[in-house]
């Protein structure tokens, strides 16, 4: 599996925990969501090196 895809999944899991489990009311909680989406696209569309 591409490293960017693994980091994306981890980032999205962190976002779910911060946004819905801990329920932080700050807008900064959505930074892992943006980071995870960008990494997910890089992991799916990027060149394969393996």
């Amino acid at each position: 599996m591409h490293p960017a895809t693994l980091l994306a999944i981890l980032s999205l899991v962190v976002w779910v925990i911060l946004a819905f489990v801990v329920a932080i009311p700050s807008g900064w909680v959505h930074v892992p969501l943006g980071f995870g989406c960008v990494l997910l696209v890089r992991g799916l569309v990027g060149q394969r090196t393996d």
Side-chain angles (χ1 to χ4, degrees):
M1 187 177 281
H2 201 269
T5 307
L6 291 174
L7 284 173
I9 293 169
L10 178 65
S11 180
L12 293 173
V13 167
V14 167
W15 172 73
V16 167
I17 291 170
L18 291 177
F20 299 110
V21 177
V22 181
I24 298 174
S26 173
W28 288 101
V29 75
H30 299 296
V31 171
L33 174 64
F35 188 65
C37 288
V38 169
L39 284 175
L40 188 62
V41 169
R42 282 190 65 141
L44 293 174
V45 178
Q47 293 180 353
R48 297 287 179 197
T49 57
D50 23 74

